[in-house]
């Protein structure tokens, strides 16, 4: 402990500085606020090991071991392994996307370290070392418990390799490589965008990339609970549809490490190794190449995203009715457009809503089958209320985050002059941004599936339910 309290040189101290503030991104206002995020991350990590303690798994493999042939046992084991790999893959991807702004040095880092005799390259190398250390600790913590539990739970007389150690090592290696792949793929993607796009466009595009990535990873995390229930017929069709799905690559690596020499698993194992090595090399190269450009982008480019110019006519002006309401509506809209942190949080909730409804449609199965019309009916009946619940909580969370200290004082000083109109403007903003778009998009689909009379009555009932939840 004394050794850690002592000073050990510039490189070590820089890495310690960055590692201690890994979660202090642009969305946090004070150092140490990352502890709240760490608790949430821990809550996401627990299911990776706890779900394996379910007694249904033991009964499942007892039944499969009693089968006269090994096919069903091995198909079930592979489905469970793919489900776990998909879950840890998605959780790691979500963490990397939420930590997007912490993967490279920030303006705060440059300004805080400007007075010290430290070169920019040292700052970049130390930040990369902190990112590598952070990702390693996170991946080890997430995969340690499952690596010991999986071989114990997924055992039986038909397992591919009877050795406990071989099964533990195969799961640990495949899961760790999957996590490293997705984490450094996000880092490499950020480096590529940084070198390929102009500064202002990079700031805007990176937010949209984060939002899309969060939606995909949320969908993968939710759908992982369905992957483990795939029947043998679906597992047999993996070569037809799973050849380019990253979790399947590392599932193939897992089977290859256990001794399977099926051509498909061999190809997937090779693809997993090449993909992991490629993103690691690309991440290192883009990180080292882009340090000059990134410093110039941070110090010379404005941190806020430019919003659209004010027009003579706008929906917000139509909704406002009074100048005071219009001022509040425009302030909230400009904040949502210009503040990267607010836009990211809002897009994360939108991504989560999309992931929930798409996952429910995939589980329902009719949207992608011959009965697509029934799938559309399910979509119209389920999506509006489910999306409303998520998006109303999302917009509430987004607008509760302070955007500017000066604006906060301005509102406090003039609070007594129009608080009622302010709250009315906030209500109209939430309805316009979180509730109305859902029904505007889905009403035409409902008219197509149910007819205009039934669709309008159903939409009216759903709107009333959404407004009741809002109140």
């Amino acid at each position: 402990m004394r050794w850690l309290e002592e000073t050990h040189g510039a490189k070590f101290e820089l890495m310690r500085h960055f590692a201690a503030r890994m979660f202090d991104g642009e969305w946090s206002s004070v150092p140490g606020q990352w502890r709240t995020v760490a608790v949430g991350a821990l809550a996401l990590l627990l299911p990776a090991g706890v779900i394996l303690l379910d007694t249904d798994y033991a009964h499942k493999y007892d039944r499969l071991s009693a089968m006269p042939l090994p096919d069903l046992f091995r198909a079930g084991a592979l489905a469970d392994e793919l489900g776990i790999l998909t879950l840890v893959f998605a959780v790691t991807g979500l963490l990397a996307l939420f930590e997007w702004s912490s993967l490279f040095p920030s303006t705060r880092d440059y300004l805080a370290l400007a007075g010290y005799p430290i070169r920019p390259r040292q700052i970049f190398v130390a930040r990369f070392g902190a990112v590598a250390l952070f990702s390693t600790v996170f991946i080890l913590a997430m995969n340690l418990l499952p690596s010991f539990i999986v071989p114990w739970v997924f055992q039986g007389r038909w397992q591919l390799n009877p050795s406990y150690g071989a099964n533990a090592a195969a799961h640990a290696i495949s899961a760790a490589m999957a996590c490293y792949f997705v984490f450094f793929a996000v880092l490499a993607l950020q480096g590529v965008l940084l070198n390929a796009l102009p500064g202002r466009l990079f700031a805007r595009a990176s937010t949209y990339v984060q939002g899309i990535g969060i939606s995909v990873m949320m969908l993968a995390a939710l759908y992982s609970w369905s992957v483990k229930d795939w029947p043998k017929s679906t597992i047999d069709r993996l070569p037809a549809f799973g050849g380019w799905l990253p979790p399947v690559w590392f599932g193939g690596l897992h089977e290859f490490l256990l001794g399977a020499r099926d051509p498909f698993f061999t190809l997937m194992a090779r693809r997993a190794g090449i993909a992991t090595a490629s993103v690691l090399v690309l991440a290192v190269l883009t990180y080292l190449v882009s340090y000059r450009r990134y410093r110039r982008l941070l110090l010379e480019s404005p941190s806020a995203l430019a919003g659209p110019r004010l027009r003579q006519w706008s929906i917000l002006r139509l909704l406002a009715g009074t100048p005071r309401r219009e001022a509040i509506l425009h302030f909230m809209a400009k904040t949502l457009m210009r503040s990267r942190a607010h836009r990211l949080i809002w897009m994360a909730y939108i991504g989560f809503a999309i992931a929930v409804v798409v996952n429910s449609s995939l589980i329902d199965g009719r949207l992608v089958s011959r009965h697509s019309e029934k799938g559309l009916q399910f979509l119209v009946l389920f999506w509006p209320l489910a999306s409303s619940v998520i998006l109303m909580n999302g917009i509430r969370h987004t607008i509760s985050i302070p955007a500017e200290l000066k604006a906060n004082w301005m509102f406090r000083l003039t609070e007594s002059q129009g608080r009622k109109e302010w709250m009315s403007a906030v209500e109209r903003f939430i309805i316009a941004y979180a509730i109305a778009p859902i029904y505007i998009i889905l009403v035409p689909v409902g008219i197509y599936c149910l007819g205009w009379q039934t669709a309008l009555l159903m939409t009216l009932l759903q709107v009333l339910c959404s407004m009741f939840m809002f109140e």
Side-chain angles (χ1 to χ4, degrees), residues 26-288:
E26 57 191 1
W27 52 268
S28 59
S29 57
V30 295
Q33 204 173 17
W34 60 270
R35 292 181 179 87
T36 304
V37 181
V39 172
L42 180 62
L44 286 174
L45 296 182
L46 286 177
V50 173
I51 59 171
L52 303 176
L53 299 176
D54 193 345
T55 55
D56 289 342
Y57 277 102
H59 296 320
K60 172 183 176 179
Y61 284 97
D62 287 341
R63 294 193 303 269
L64 293 177
S65 296
M67 295 291 177
L69 296 175
D71 295 347
L72 290 177
F73 183 98
R74 293 177 182 174
L78 180 56
D80 287 330
E81 183 67 27
L82 287 174
I84 296 171
L85 289 175
T86 303
L87 179 61
V88 298
F89 184 94
V91 171
T92 307
L94 284 172
L95 179 73
L97 289 166
F98 279 118
E99 287 298 293
W100 180 282
S101 60
S102 298
L103 299 179
F104 281 78
S106 64
T107 307
R108 185 186 302 175
D109 295 325
Y110 276 110
L111 295 177
L113 300 172
Y116 294 91
I118 301 171
R119 296 179 179 179
R121 185 181 293 271
Q122 288 180 297
I123 296 177
F124 251 72
V125 171
R127 171 61 87 174
F128 186 83
V131 168
L133 177 64
F134 168 78
S135 62
T136 300
V137 171
F138 175 83
I139 291 169
L140 288 176
M142 181 167 57
N143 292 301
L144 182 63
L145 184 61
S147 296
F148 286 106
I149 296 178
V150 165
W152 176 62
V153 176
F154 299 172
Q155 63 178 338
R157 66 167 181 150
W158 294 121
Q159 62 186 126
L160 195 60
N161 191 320
S163 171
Y164 175 87
N167 281 271
H171 178 81
I173 292 172
S174 57
M177 286 183 63
C179 294
Y180 273 116
F181 167 77
V182 66
F183 190 93
F184 284 96
V186 172
L187 179 60
L189 176 61
Q190 186 177 7
V192 170
L193 292 176
L194 177 62
N195 287 278
L197 299 177
R200 189 177 295 274
L201 185 58
F202 168 76
R204 185 177 296 275
S206 59
T207 307
Y208 288 111
V209 170
Q210 282 178 275
I212 295 172
I214 289 171
S215 179
V216 172
M217 293 302 167
M218 286 283 190
L219 176 60
L222 293 172
Y223 194 66
S224 65
W225 302 90
S226 300
V227 172
K228 65 184 182 66
D229 295 325
W230 279 356
K232 182 179 179 300
S233 58
T234 303
I235 297 297
D236 291 340
R237 291 189 293 108
L238 273 181
F241 71 88
W244 293 103
L245 297 176
V248 177
W249 303 346
F250 298 97
L253 174 64
H254 175 269
E255 298 298 297
F256 181 82
L257 292 174
L258 289 179
R261 292 300 178 262
D262 183 273
F264 176 70
F265 293 143
T266 303
L267 175 62
M268 294 299 100
R270 186 183 301 115
R271 193 168 289 174
I274 293 173
T276 305
S278 298
V279 297
L280 285 172
V281 172
L282 183 61
V284 172
L285 289 178
T286 55
Y287 211 96
L288 296 179

